[in-house]
Amino acid sequence: MTAVSSDTRVTDERGMLLRLYREIARGRALEDVVHQLVQERSFRGFFHPGRGQEGVQAAVCAALERDDYLLYAHRGLTYLTAKGMDPVEILGDFHGRVVGSTRGLGAGTVHCVDPELGIMGQGGTLGSSFTLSAGLAMASKSLGQTKVACAFFGDGASARGTFLEAGVTAKAWGLPVVWVCENNGWAVSARVQDVQGTSDIAPRARALGFHTQVVDGQDALAVYEAAREAVTQARNGVPAFIEAKTQRIDGHYTGDMQPYRDRDEVAAAKARDPLDLAGARLTELGEDPAALAQIREEARAEMTAADAAARQSPFPDGSRIHEGLWA
Amino acid sequence: MTAVSSDTRVTDERGMLLRLYREIARGRALEDVVHQLVQERSFRGFFHPGRGQEGVQAAVCAALERDDYLLYAHRGLTYLTAKGMDPVEILGDFHGRVVGSTRGLGAGTVHCVDPELGIMGQGGTLGSSFTLSAGLAMASKSLGQTKVACAFFGDGASARGTFLEAGVTAKAWGLPVVWVCENNGWAVSARVQDVQGTSDIAPRARALGFHTQVVDGQDALAVYEAAREAVTQARNGVPAFIEAKTQRIDGHYTGDMQPYRDRDEVAAAKARDPLDLAGARLTELGEDPAALAQIREEARAEMTAADAAARQSPFPDGSRIHEGLWA
Amino acid sequence: MTETKPITYAWAINHAIDEEMQRDPTVFLIGQDVGRMGGVFGLTRGLFDKYGAERVRDVSIVEHLVVGGAVGAAIGGMRPIAEVQFADFLLLAGDESFHKMAKWRYMHGGRLTVPMVVRAPCGIQGGVGAEHSQSPEAHYWHTPGVKIAVPSNPADAKGLLKSAIRDDNPVIYFENRRLYRNKGVVDPDPELLVPFGQGTVAREGTDVTIVAWSAMVPAALEAAEILEREQVSVEVVDPRTLVPFDMETVAASVRKTSRLLVLHEASLTAGPGAEIAARAADELFELLDAPVKRLAGTDNPIPQNMALEPFCYPQTDEIVSTVRDLAKW
Amino acid sequence: MTETKPITYAWAINHAIDEEMQRDPTVFLIGQDVGRMGGVFGLTRGLFDKYGAERVRDVSIVEHLVVGGAVGAAIGGMRPIAEVQFADFLLLAGDESFHKMAKWRYMHGGRLTVPMVVRAPCGIQGGVGAEHSQSPEAHYWHTPGVKIAVPSNPADAKGLLKSAIRDDNPVIYFENRRLYRNKGVVDPDPELLVPFGQGTVAREGTDVTIVAWSAMVPAALEAAEILEREQVSVEVVDPRTLVPFDMETVAASVRKTSRLLVLHEASLTAGPGAEIAARAADELFELLDAPVKRLAGTDNPIPQNMALEPFCYPQTDEIVSTVRDLAKW
Ligand SMILES: Cc1ncc(C[n+]2csc(CCOP(=O)(O)OP(=O)(O)O)c2C)c(N)n1
Ligand SMILES: Cc1ncc(C[n+]2csc(CCOP(=O)(O)OP(=O)(O)O)c2C)c(N)n1
Ligand SMILES: [Mg+2]
Ligand SMILES: [Mg+2]
């Protein structure tokens, strides 16, 4: 463990914010396409919307290198696009077509994969990323690589026992993990305070000796700076943890009307939309609102085109189920 | 959660210490009998000696009411005798005779049981007591009882994921659990610092919002005071945690020569034997050393008699394996 | 009030829980979203309002605690109904289900009891993928100390769940998600229990016996209809519980048909059908005129692509053709 | 140097690990006490000194991390050998073994590989009780995506472990603690592998086939000796791996004997023998002159009282009498 410079402040705020703005817009545009698929019943599984949390995902991925490992979570898709994944492959997975990253096996919110980009998939049982990311980090270290293993998860998943088991081990071995908790205060219908007796996740990471930061997840730039710091720490052998306080604007899944949730809270969440906040700050910094509209429009166009491309791909036939089990 | 008086200081130090001295002596005398059984191969399973840790066990159990729940651990037997269990039943379990608490099924370090005394057994997979004690505490609360559920475990078991899952839930529901970590610095051959990246377990309980105390486990009176405080907190709906820094004098199991361990460390552990320390303090307080010798002698006699009594009991026959699976 | 309107399998489960919670104050629910939300599949709707947060306990993502906590509460005098959101998640609580729930009583000399139910929604449906589609019946059938219910219709769903809740042993109750909306008439008598270990003949026949349970029963009945038109007479035996298993009803049927097909949704190899086929190969050897056949899920995880799901478990046409071949022996 | 002195099963395992770690720098060990202590059963002695703490990794009591971390390391390019101290503990890592290890590759379209081995010491011995004595073979046989090795002697122990380590799929390697001290001659050639899916005939015979593996092979051979004196000729087939399973060698044997006994240590019901018996009842139906018999562990957790252990799994005299009865058909 060498000393770590904590000078992670961004010098070109406007440039970085523009980059993040674009990624948030892209993730959101992709999600809008998926909502469409749900509506037209082209996709009939569960989709867990990420609206409100795209800033965290975009910013952390911006702080990662191309080959750093990513285990994403189930909420939205901005992790994937921000890490560089081809939206055609993502949508191919939703459509269950062979162009999908799983080559027709299908993936809803989880299981998209791109080994070239370090996107190592995701489990449907939440909290499995703690141990897997520790393993990836171990491999990186053992093979003399500099890759960090970044894992996203929610406040709910932070209660899973795997957090503790992987956490003590990551600390003991100085593993390059970056754990990012998107604390949106809810796990489906359960308020974190009600079921975990606290609203704060960071203390449990700090207790294990992780480098720990708590950040406003609606402020993409702040998340980016925290992520830079975390990645630097991790590359130097100090496991890092970020708790991003964020907001789930939509229901748990598309179609969930959130009857269990206060309307005011949802309204407050909407008022702190990370895309809007980044846009407002950019405008303050002199960015032309038309340029921002242009970015959003490009994102929409990109994702619409990606959807059209994905639809060109054939569906697998039934024998697909027998392929790929064994190496 | 009502306000809790923290006036748990002992007024009759000598009287309490005498009581603890006796319990430590009894636990140790029972353990000496078990060592004998191991030597003569009357017991051929693994025994995990508790020498050095009896003060923690005796003191915590002294702070419990007769019907409070106990999930003990695998190290030594002082928990059991201090909670009131009949040594004949314990030794019956070691001998595998029907007088044993498991009625012939046998129990080595774990599985002794006495529902009347709230001794609800113990699992052989460490760390299972976290969830079970939470469940017992839930039952106590739901049934309008005042019982707390006390669980003992080592530093090693504190890394198990069940700690976190049961911990957040206990806090969320205000469950009357008292968790006692006997931190002896080792899990078999693994030094806690090496495999958990820290020597301190308490912070992870504090992070969850437990009432948390760290105490010198070799000082039985200090443990007693902490336990009183913890039990009071728990009865008032604040889950409580005690980390007792203690010492394993012997090997992990009887016969383990501890080649992985520094001789000096073992010598230092012996120098802080809780029986000796309690004896020294009692002498300071005016107790006659002969009276202490008498207590030890009585303990020895009690356990020798218990062993003789246990040996009178028959062995079960083979059909015993088919009994007791179904209610 | 006689309720003769058909109700769904889902509501039958809800009613069973409601009635038992009403009857016995030690019965309580624990699981994710069972409370305010009424369950992710709506199964526990209304119970939170009726019984409150102490008896309908929402938890975080803590499967270990859900099952292990239920074990603790059970030995402490309660009768927990623990819900995992998907049966697959029960495997996450491996220690708690395989070692604690199943063994705690026995390990402690039979001196403690563990009266608890785990409700485990199982089955392939809805594109939820490899970790949300399993029917891990065999894992627990191979675990002495656990009873297993596998209801195929609303009446059994209710009656078996009530029996399970009153049982002093741990019970895993596999409720198949594909059956949730199926309707049937359910006697409203709150004392009507379906006993464990008593199979039923869901359809009588003389040529081939199909043993099927859970969502495979409707499929078997559908196949039997089709086969009837081809003059193949199929008897469908629904054991209703796997532990205890009613071999007698199977034997009685094979005594008539001399031909046995075991049908299930879980993957074939070392699945629950193996036990039944193995018992037949031993105990019914002299009755059999044909090989014992198994038709079951394919040996692969379930893909998330919904269009691939039907390839992963027995479809009516496959059942028909398998029985047709078997009848030719 | 040709090493012809017999070595123990335990040392054969040690040698296999040592040779593979030597050959391939991506192979590493992870588990409790595998390092400085050399394993609680001494199996990994010497490896920590030779390869250091980065390749022989001691962990805390973190079974989830041991298995899940191994999965992560495997997809990251390493070849982990994960050790759980007792096979029973593998069930603690339920998500990691059933869902992650077995499915990660498939769920992600076959685009990642999970080359890892879990060493799982199994078997009833030493009064270690219900949670330290199981042979949970069936749980994993019913888990598509996992290979299973069950060596019965030192040569197979070494050769199968080496194959397992080189395999690109997850393998659970069940090593029976009762076999650790058994000796046998092991060819020292470091390139001698025992292939998966190839059973052996451990003893030839003509009257009855016993399929047995792991510690049941010596028991079957002992029974066969005794039966020979009674003019009953027993063939013992050792499949050596359960996944893949070599049904062909079983079939060839039954073609000769027409009688099959499946023998195993795990508890009977829904155990691994059910799958073999079920396949026989289907595929070998016309060859069989007698019911397919299973002799296996009793359906109860294993008591901690060592004196009761022999009642919990098949003993030689029971094997003898079962075969004797079977031969009379
Ligand atoms: C182990 C496990 N238990 C339960 C679920 C069902 N489930 C899916 S999403 C979810 C809530 C997750 O909450 P959180 O981790 O806070 O993430 P969020 O959905 O808020 O982004 C649950 C309980 C699951 N997928 N895995
Ligand atoms: C889940 C589980 N993993 C591993 C073991 C094997 N084991 C028995 S005792 C022990 C060490 C326990 O260490 P600790 O919790 O610190 O207690 P101590 O022995 O030091 O009192 C281990 C690893 C076990 N019993 N259960
Ligand atoms: Mg959340
Ligand atoms: Mg310790």
Side-chain angles (χ1 to χ4, degrees), chain A residues 48 53 74-75 124-127 153-158 160 182 184 186-188 248 252, chain C residues 32-33 61 63 85-86 89 92 132:
Chain A
H48 306 97
Q53 304 185 197
H74 60 285
R75 185 149 304 290
T125 49
L126 303 181
F153 49 90
D155 43 284
S158 307
R160 284 261 287 135
E182 297 180 81
N184 60 13
W186 291 89
V188 194
R248 192 186 87 192
H252 174 63
Chain C
Q32 285 148 18
D33 306 299
I61 308 184
E63 280 78 8
Q85 288 192 338
F86 293 86
F89 297 178
L92 274 61
H132 299 66

Side-chain angles (χ1 to χ4, degrees), chain B residues 74-75 124 126 154-157 184 186-187 252, chain D residues 32 61 63 85 89:
Chain B
H74 60 286
R75 183 147 308 288
L126 303 180
D155 43 282
N184 61 13
W186 291 89
H252 173 64
Chain D
Q32 285 149 19
I61 307 183
E63 279 78 7
Q85 287 191 340
F89 298 178

Side-chain angles (χ1 to χ4, degrees), chain C residues 201 203-209 233-236 253 256-257:
Chain C
V201 175
R203 177 193 174 104
E204 300 205 1
T206 52
D207 296 331
V208 172
T209 299
S233 167
V234 175
E235 177 144 313
V236 178
S253 181
K256 285 199 296 185
T257 63

Side-chain angles (χ1 to χ4, degrees), chain C residues 64 88 91 94 99-100 103 106 130-131 134 141-142 267 269-271 275 281-282 285 290-294 299 301 329, chain D residues 64 88 91 94 99-100 103 106 130-131 134 141-142 144 267 269-271 275 281-282 285 290-294 301:
Chain C
H64 294 285
D88 321 54
L91 298 172
H99 298 319
K100 299 292 149 301
K103 297 175 181 171
Y106 183 88
E131 299 147 311
Q134 267 187 266
W141 200 354
H142 188 47
S267 59
T269 300
E275 174 62 21
D282 180 357
F285 180 74
V292 179
K293 289 289 171 190
R294 289 179 292 164
D299 281 333
W329 272 81
Chain D
H64 294 284
D88 320 55
L91 298 172
H99 298 317
K100 300 290 149 305
K103 298 174 180 170
Y106 183 87
E131 300 147 311
Q134 267 186 264
W141 199 354
H142 188 46
S267 58
T269 300
E275 174 63 21
D282 180 357
F285 180 73
V292 180
K293 289 289 171 189
R294 289 179 292 163

